[in-house]
Amino acid sequence: MAEDAPPQDAAPKKRSKLPLILGLGLALAGGGGGFFAAYSGLLPIGGSGSHAPMDGTGDMPEIAFVPIDPVVISLGPGGRNRHLRITAQVEVGRAYQSEVAILLPRILDVLNGYLRALDVAELEDQAALVRIRAHLLRRIQIVTGEGRVRNLLITEFVLN
């Protein structure tokens, strides 16, 4: 009847805190080392590292801007005599500036076709400009050919 049972008032064996302290120390050392590597430029964070220095000594990129004539679109029957006026410029490489300028009538056709298909409710949305710009840029890139147009800069977007 006498079973050997551990005494109930004995404290449980405590775990060592050494792995926790070592893990915390290694995490701090790794974070500090990563920060130093990124801050000192050892890691090319944010792209290929081909950005010009901030002190203004770097060369400007070889870009040009081709202006697009202002476009005025009368909005459909739900627009109640409302109009959209948009002015933009196309950012291209300097080598493609004349080629893209020749294709301006096609670019205007794409702009007109897409903008006429939009509803007034879509234009009044707060995120409309970002979405419209992305759609137009993709359509312009298709018209001009891959690699010629880098960006579309909308300089005026008025809905009245």
Side-chain angles (χ1 to χ4, degrees):
M1 289 234 196
E3 293 182 21
D4 289 334
Q8 292 190 10
D9 52 335
K13 191 175 182 182
K14 290 188 176 183
R15 299 176 104 189
S16 173
K17 294 185 180 181
L18 183 63
L20 178 66
I21 294 171
L22 283 175
L24 183 62
L26 287 174
L28 287 174
F35 172 77
F36 174 75
Y39 186 74
S40 64
L42 296 175
L43 296 176
I45 301 295
S48 62
S50 64
H51 298 290
M54 295 298 286
D55 59 2
T57 59
D59 294 333
M60 290 293 294
E62 295 291 321
I63 60 171
F65 296 96
V66 178
I68 299 174
D69 294 333
V71 177
V72 178
I73 304 289
S74 60
L75 300 174
R80 291 180 235 127
N81 255 349
R82 296 184 77 181
H83 293 86
L84 169 68
R85 178 181 166 93
I86 185 169
T87 306
Q89 293 192 15
V90 180
E91 180 182 331
V92 298
R94 282 200 184 135
Y96 302 117
Q97 184 177 7
S98 62
E99 294 175 18
V100 172
I102 291 172
L103 294 172
L104 276 177
R106 287 188 181 174
I107 293 172
L108 283 170
D109 181 55
V110 167
L111 290 175
N112 280 317
Y114 177 73
L115 293 172
R116 287 283 299 158
L118 293 176
D119 293 329
V120 177
E122 291 175 295
L123 293 171
E124 290 175 341
D125 183 22
Q126 297 237 343
L129 185 59
V130 175
R131 188 174 51 253
I132 290 169
R133 183 182 159 278
H135 283 284
L136 290 175
L137 175 61
R138 183 64 193 137
R139 284 166 171 76
I140 290 171
Q141 287 173 335
I142 290 171
V143 166
T144 59
E146 199 65 37
R148 287 185 171 87
V149 174
R150 295 181 178 187
N151 205 350
L152 174 67
L153 303 146
I154 296 179
T155 55
E156 183 181 16
F157 189 84
V158 178
L159 178 65
N160 67 0

